Each structure stands twice: as C-alpha cells, then as structure tokens.
Amino acid sequence: MITDRGIAGAMGKGALSGPRSSRLNRRAFLFGSAAGLAALGLAGCASDYMSLAEAEKVYGPVPDEKFPIPGVDVSKVKPQYFRKTVRYDSDEAPGTIIIDPSKYYVYRIEGEGNATRYGANVGRDGFRWSGEAYVGRKAEWPTWTPPKEMIARQPEAGKYARGMPGGLDNPLGARVLYLYQNGTYTLYTIYSTSDPETIGNGITSGCTGLLSQDMIDLYSRTPLKTKVIVLPA
C-alpha cells in the first residue's frame, strides 16, 4: 500500500476487514476523507455469473479461522464481482497476479488461457499507480501500523502508532500480500476486506482489497516472489 500514497496506503506494517466497531472506525482509515459509499444493490443476474445461492455458499462464514469470519452479505455485491474462472490470454507464467483497476478485477493466471478472476476495490482518484512488483512478504491476521502521514490527517489513529493487533477490526483483515520492488516494500498491499459494498469501487490509497473469502483463496495459492502486475487505470 502506500502511506499517503497507499491504502490504507500504508497500512505500513500490517492490517483491513471485519465488522464495524465502536472502538475504531476502520472504514475511516480505509477511505481517509472519502465519503462513505452507499450499499450496492444486486445488478440483474446473468446466466454466466455465480448464482446468489452459490455465492452464499462460497462467501459463507469461515468459522475455523483464528478470528471466525462472518459470511458476506452477497446482496451488496454485483454478480460480476463474484469469483469466476474466465478466459484470459496472457504470456505471463501461471500464478502471476494481474490487477486491472479500471475494471475492479484481480486475475490469477492459471495457464492455458484461463485465469481465476476476483472482484476488488482499488485506489481512488489521485492514489492510483501501475507497474510491476512481487510478493515480498505474506501474513495472516497481520498487525497494522498507521503511517505518520495518516496520523497527521487522522489523529485518532495515533493510538495505534505502535501497531494494531490482528483481528476482525484490523484494516488489513485476515490475509495480506505485501508488494515489493527491488527489495523494498512499496507500502502497497493486496489485503482482505469484509465490507462487500467496497467491491467494484475506488476507495483506497492505492492498495487492492478482496473479500476475505477470496483473499484466503488467493493467499493460499500465492508463494513469495510471485510476480504482480498493476495495469494502468
């Protein structure tokens, strides 16, 4: 992610996901000063999208996690953003991750012209970036440390200057992939969110968020050094 440039740009050393909390409005950290988004209604179903019944199973509760993850309210996600295997021609090696912020998708190349496609949230205007990186670090239920730039903008984040422990209220959520370039952490991440209404929107400071259930799937199949390509928006 990137500090003032990245997600929660910078959810520096760790974390975004989980139910709303009176302790700390994690959405405020994700959105920064951006206005809250209205919940999205279901767009008309198309036969080539996952059905609502299927989605309720795929995005159901994950009770065996360290912090049990609640099911997603799939009525707040447009059907085109449900996980799907699609045709995607690419010369990149299987396992490569391609982020397309203009379409709010993350692709994992599977080979033979196929890819797993996930709906995503991406950077908002003024915080988008493009280029190549790689996964330099991975973490489950990571600690999140707000960067000094964020604390300057939002003083209430200062209480977590030494780190916010992992959990459902933590901005990075259940899983995070930290993106590096030339051995240096870019402050950009691919992270997990439990806010379904963010999917298909540009709301972060540069990071890319997937629903927790999708992020767990991607994380489990992404080793260190995996190539990540962020396309121009």
Side-chain angles (χ1 to χ4, degrees):
M1 305 190 269
I2 255 205
T3 56
D4 227 15
R5 304 160 292 165
I7 180 184
M11 291 187 169
K13 297 181 181 175
L16 187 114
S17 114
R20 296 168 179 77
S21 166
S22 59
R23 289 171 291 167
L24 178 68
N25 188 333
R26 67 175 192 72
R27 183 176 295 180
F29 291 147
L30 172 60
F31 296 170
S33 59
L37 294 168
L40 297 175
L42 261 181
C45 285
S47 60
D48 60 340
Y49 296 140
M50 187 184 296
S51 71
L52 190 61
E54 292 172 319
E56 288 175 340
K57 294 179 181 179
V58 171
Y59 296 102
V62 188
D64 297 332
E65 282 287 317
K66 179 179 181 180
F67 302 98
I69 298 170
V72 174
D73 182 350
V74 294
S75 71
K76 294 182 177 180
V77 182
K78 290 183 178 180
Q80 63 262 38
Y81 297 127
F82 293 143
R83 189 189 317 167
K84 181 178 173 62
T85 299
V86 298
R87 294 295 300 171
Y88 192 88
D89 292 328
S90 174
D91 293 330
E92 298 295 336
T96 300
I97 295 171
I98 300 176
I99 300 172
D100 187 345
S102 67
K103 294 183 172 61
Y104 308 103
Y105 286 135
V106 170
Y107 298 88
R108 181 188 186 274
I109 301 301
E110 305 294 353
E112 299 183 350
N114 294 314
T116 300
R117 187 183 70 191
Y118 308 90
N121 63 44
V122 300
R124 63 186 186 271
D125 289 346
F127 290 85
R128 297 186 185 121
W129 65 285
S130 61
E132 292 188 10
Y134 62 90
V135 176
R137 185 159 60 97
K138 301 173 57 173
E140 299 185 13
W141 298 106
T143 296
W144 170 61
T145 302
K148 61 183 181 180
E149 292 88 349
M150 180 177 286
I151 294 173
R153 290 196 314 268
Q154 299 169 256
E156 66 272 23
K159 64 192 294 185
Y160 296 107
R162 294 187 178 181
M164 182 182 187
L168 292 176
D169 295 317
N170 183 302
L172 287 177
R175 303 288 190 275
V176 64
L177 301 174
Y178 297 91
L179 304 186
Y180 281 64
Q181 291 176 329
N182 301 317
T184 300
Y185 175 39
T186 64
L187 298 182
Y188 291 118
T189 69
I190 306 173
Y191 71 96
S192 51
T193 179
S194 291
D195 285 336
E197 63 267 35
T198 69
I199 302 302
N201 286 279
I203 47 78
T204 76
S205 298
C207 292
T208 301
L210 305 183
L211 290 170
S212 296
Q213 290 81 349
D214 283 343
M215 188 61 198
I216 288 172
D217 179 75
L218 179 63
Y219 182 99
S220 69
R221 300 193 293 145
T222 302
L224 293 175
K225 304 300 183 182
T226 292
K227 183 178 181 179
V228 179
I229 300 171
V230 182
L231 302 176

